[in-house]
Amino acid sequence: MRKLNIIAILLGLVAIVTTSCSNVDEDERFVYVRPASVSRAVLVEDFTGQRCVNCPNANDVIHQLQEQYGDSNVIAVGIHSGPLGFKGNSRFVGLATTLGDEYYTHFGAEYQPVGMINRHGLVNYTDWTAKVHNALQDTAEVSLKLTTAYDSASRTASLLVQATSFDHAVSGNLQVWLVEDSITAMQLMPDGSVNYNYTHNHVLRAAVNGEWGSAVSIPANNSEESTFSYRLDDNNVADNCYFVAFVYDDSGVKQVAKARVKPKNN
C-alpha cells in the first residue's frame, strides 16, 4: 500500500508540473540572456616627439604595459606632434605630421611626453600604469571585429569594421587610423645623446576616415558594418602597418581594436 501511495503522489506532482507549464505563454518561456562580457581594450594616445628626451621613457612604459596585458588589450598610438616633434629634412626622417599637431592643439597638450587613456583627459606618462589598470576593469559597451585585405599591386588596404552593441544603443564616432611599427629614425635620448637608429613603434601615419572619424549609431543588441579603403604611401612598409579602430564620444573611448593591414595569409 505504501508503494502505491508513493506512486500516486509522484504521478500527481507530474500532473501539476505539466499543467503549470502548459499555462505559461510561449513568449514567456524564454528569458533574454546578455552576451558574455567582451574584453575591454584600452587606447593609449601618446603625444611624443623625436626631439623629446623623456619620450623613450614613456615608450618603455607602453612596452611594459603591453608585456603585462597584451598588445591587443593595450593599444598604443604614438602621435608625433607639438614643439618637440620633427617633420624631417633632407638628411633625417621625420615622423611628426599636421594631423598630429591638430590633435596636440585640440586636446590642450602643453608638454611631451603626455597621453590620454581612453580619452579621459591628459595624463603624465608616470601615471599611465595605474590608469590603464583601472580602465581595463571597465565593461565594454560595444565589441569591434576588424577584417582586412591587402592588394600588393595597388598597395591598397581594405578594412571591414563590425561594431556590435549590447544592452544599450551606442552612438558617437568611429575613428580609423593607419599605424606603423619598426620605423628607424632619429631620437633624442634621456641621457642627452642622439640615437640615429632608434626603432619607433605604433606611429600614427594617417586618419583613414578623417581627423575625427565618421558618425556611427547602433541600436541596442544590434550590429553595424563600415568599410574603408586606403592606399599606402610609398614610405609605408605594408608588413609593419595595421589599422586601429575605436568608437568614442564626449565621454571617452567605448572600445578599440586593431588588425594588420596584411592578413597572415597574404
Side-chain angles (χ1 to χ4, degrees), residues 148-166:
T148 61
Y150 181 71
D151 179 64
S152 57
S154 64
R155 290 179 58 79
T156 300
S158 300
L159 172 67
L160 169 66
V161 179
Q162 183 183 58
T164 304
S165 65
F166 299 121

Side-chain angles (χ1 to χ4, degrees), residues 25-257:
D25 291 336
E26 188 71 21
D27 293 339
E28 296 177 359
R29 295 186 186 182
F30 301 96
V31 178
Y32 169 73
V33 178
R34 189 186 192 279
S37 296
V38 173
S39 297
R40 186 66 160 100
V42 173
L43 175 65
V44 180
E45 293 172 89
D46 171 23
F47 290 103
T48 187
Q50 289 170 263
R51 295 182 293 198
C52 165
V53 295
N54 284 320
C55 286
N57 291 332
N59 189 61
D60 288 343
V61 171
I62 289 172
H63 178 73
Q64 291 164 7
L65 287 166
Q66 291 181 329
E67 283 285 309
Q68 182 174 358
Y69 298 111
D71 63 5
S72 293
N73 295 320
V74 178
I75 298 176
V77 178
I79 304 174
H80 286 255
S81 55
L84 300 180
F86 178 58
K87 293 186 177 178
N89 55 33
S90 59
R91 294 182 60 194
F92 302 110
V93 173
L95 301 177
T97 62
T98 301
L99 175 65
D101 286 341
E102 182 173 350
Y103 292 142
Y104 184 89
T105 301
H106 176 83
F107 290 110
E110 297 179 348
Y111 62 91
Q112 293 158 289
V114 68
M116 294 186 292
I117 311 302
N118 280 344
R119 290 204 169 165
H120 291 161
L122 293 167
V123 181
N124 192 287
Y125 78 93
T126 55
D127 297 322
W128 290 356
T129 299
K131 294 290 186 180
V132 166
H133 172 78
N134 292 337
L136 285 168
Q137 313 310 309
D138 293 339
T139 300
E141 296 182 44
V142 62
S143 71
L144 294 176
K145 180 181 177 182
L146 276 54
T147 305
T148 61
Y150 181 71
D151 179 64
S152 57
S154 64
R155 290 179 58 79
T156 300
S158 300
L159 172 67
L160 169 66
V161 179
Q162 183 183 58
T164 304
S165 65
F166 299 121
D167 296 337
H168 305 287
V170 173
S171 61
N173 278 24
L174 170 65
Q175 179 74 69
V176 179
W177 283 338
L178 180 73
V179 180
E180 187 171 352
D181 281 342
S182 304
I183 302 173
T184 301
M186 176 271 293
Q187 176 66 52
L188 266 64
M189 302 302 290
D191 62 3
S193 65
V194 180
N195 184 344
Y196 293 100
N197 296 298
Y198 186 84
T199 300
H200 296 266
N201 289 315
H202 44 79
V203 176
L204 175 63
R205 295 302 241 171
V208 174
N209 61 336
E211 293 88 340
W212 305 106
S214 45
V216 63
S217 182
I218 313 167
N221 307 306
N222 222 312
S223 296
E224 181 174 305
E225 292 187 346
S226 305
T227 57
F228 305 94
S229 180
Y230 184 82
R231 186 187 181 282
L232 271 61
D233 290 339
D234 292 340
N235 63 343
N236 295 139
V237 178
D239 286 331
N240 297 334
C241 289
Y242 51 97
F243 291 114
V244 169
F246 59 97
V247 174
Y248 73 96
D249 62 13
D250 291 340
S251 67
V253 173
K254 297 179 179 297
Q255 182 62 302
V256 59

